[in-house]
Amino acid sequence: MSIVFVILGAVLVLWGADRLTDGATALAVKLNIPQIVIGLTIVAFGTSMPEFFVSMASAVKGTSDMALGNIVGSNIFNTLMIVGVSAAVAPMVISKNTVRKDMVFAMVAALMLMVMCLDNELSRIDAILLFIVFIIFMVYTLRMAKDKNEEEETQIKTMNGWLAAGLMLLGLACLIVGSNIFVDGATKIAKSLGVSDAVIGLTIVACGTSLPELATSVVAAKKGRAAIAIGNVIGSNVLNILMIVGITGMIIPMDLHGITWIDMTVMTVGMLILWGFSYTKFKIERWEGFVLTFIFVAYMCWLVYNAVR
């Protein structure tokens, strides 16, 4: 039954995130908000909603290791698995802006979180600092966007304002209910297997909340729209740490014992390797994608080995 709850919760969370994003986007169009602002805020936040609600639910239920494990694991999955598989499918050309701005923010965020967790706790002050950097990131991103012309207009479905608001509420309800069911199921599985909340957060929870990004990025890479795909992945990494950990930590300070320095190092070094691959030719070759994927598989094998021994 716990496995059923995990699957049901994941479906509700992912479906709810889509409905919330669709409704919010349509409502923003009704209010004549510029499309570039919609893309950089509502759509970007929408892709991070599963991680946000699952981490918040985990923290509220007293499983802080699962909450942070979800974020660290999602970032590792995004950086190594999603980019790795996408590049293995088709070499990815990356925009200079992503390499010079988004990836730098992602590395700074990873280093900040790593340093903050050295004492095995994330205090409210730590969370406030993360959120301040998040605000700086968003202000900078929006200013940069206004200085550029939109390369292409994204087709957004139009709908009645009341319908859009209703869709937002339905999506929000699914996110809240689904995240609670998901966390309950994952926690019971961890206890039955004798595995720590941190490991479950780093594996099952993290991969489950990041599956939409994997599917979207692989399809985008096959269609030759790699810049959009990797931009979304790196942006998600920044939001996961600065926004999600920031907000969650401000509400509920977290004591951390299951997240190790190796987990944090893999997250940070993985981002550094990706930046190195990208900076050379602003392109990730197919062999580099296989290297990233191999590192992810090796890390997962290490986690499983330590969990069952």
Side-chain angles (χ1 to χ4, degrees):
M1 284 304 297
S2 295
I3 294 173
V4 172
F5 283 147
V6 166
I7 295 172
L8 177 62
V11 170
L12 278 173
V13 165
L14 301 178
W15 188 85
D18 279 342
R19 301 292 80 75
L20 178 64
T21 303
D22 288 344
T25 303
L27 198 60
V29 171
K30 283 283 184 184
L31 297 173
N32 294 318
I33 295 174
Q35 197 171 122
I36 187 66
V37 176
I38 294 173
L40 290 169
T41 55
I42 296 171
V43 175
F45 295 163
T47 60
S48 294
M49 282 298 102
E51 286 90 346
F52 175 69
F53 276 87
V54 169
S55 290
M56 182 63 75
S58 299
V60 169
K61 291 176 182 291
T63 53
S64 299
D65 283 339
M66 188 179 293
L68 190 64
N70 176 32
I71 299 304
V72 174
S74 290
N75 280 20
I76 292 172
F77 189 85
N78 288 348
T79 304
L80 300 177
M81 185 66 174
I82 294 181
V83 177
V85 171
S86 299
V89 169
M92 303 176 75
V93 178
I94 306 169
S95 71
K96 292 181 180 180
N97 190 49
T98 297
V99 175
R100 292 173 177 171
K101 187 260 294 182
D102 294 337
M103 286 190 180
V104 172
F105 263 105
M107 284 188 289
V108 169
L111 285 169
M112 284 181 67
L113 183 61
M114 190 174 184
V115 171
M116 288 174 176
C117 292
L118 287 175
D119 58 354
N120 290 326
E121 68 174 352
L122 188 88
S123 67
R124 194 166 272 119
I125 293 175
D126 292 334
I128 291 172
L129 287 174
L130 289 173
F131 196 70
I132 289 172
V133 178
F134 164 70
I135 294 173
I136 294 171
F137 170 74
M138 286 309 303
V139 170
Y140 177 76
T141 300
L142 289 170
R143 282 184 177 176
M144 289 288 290
K146 288 178 181 178
D147 293 337
K148 294 182 178 181
N149 293 322
E150 292 181 71
E151 293 181 1
E152 59 181 39
E153 288 289 317
T154 305
Q155 293 299 316
I156 298 176
K157 294 178 183 178
T158 57
M159 63 178 74
N160 178 275
W162 287 106
L163 177 61
L167 206 59
M168 284 177 63
L169 291 174
L170 176 62
L172 184 61
C174 288
L175 278 165
I176 294 170
V177 174
S179 59
N180 276 282
I181 293 174
F182 187 87
V183 171
D184 284 343
T187 303
K188 288 177 181 176
I189 290 175
K191 288 179 179 177
S192 66
L193 296 175
V195 178
S196 69
D197 290 332
V199 172
I200 292 295
L202 288 164
T203 54
I204 297 174
V205 178
C207 295
T209 54
S210 296
L211 284 178
E213 283 97 333
L214 175 61
T216 302
S217 296
V218 170
V219 171
K222 288 182 70 175
K223 291 182 178 180
R225 303 182 69 186
I228 295 173
I230 198 166
N232 177 46
V233 165
I234 302 305
S236 177
N237 279 11
V238 175
L239 293 182
N240 283 349
I241 294 177
L242 300 181
M243 183 187 78
I244 297 175
V245 177
I247 294 176
T248 304
M250 283 192 291
I251 297 172
I252 307 162
M254 293 179 273
D255 289 320
L256 310 165
H257 300 285
I259 307 298
T260 68
W261 66 269
I262 293 179
D263 302 317
M264 291 291 186
T265 301
V266 170
M267 176 183 70
T268 306
V269 172
M271 192 66 242
L272 186 60
I273 292 172
L274 176 58
W275 181 79
F277 283 164
S278 307
Y279 198 80
T280 51
K281 298 178 181 177
F282 295 101
K283 182 179 183 180
I284 300 179
E285 302 288 355
R286 189 172 269 113
W287 72 266
E288 293 171 328
F290 281 115
V291 170
L292 292 172
T293 306
F294 173 78
I295 295 172
F296 176 78
V297 172
Y299 169 68
M300 283 291 115
C301 290
W302 178 83
L303 271 181
V304 172
Y305 170 76
N306 281 277
V308 299
R309 72 174 181 175

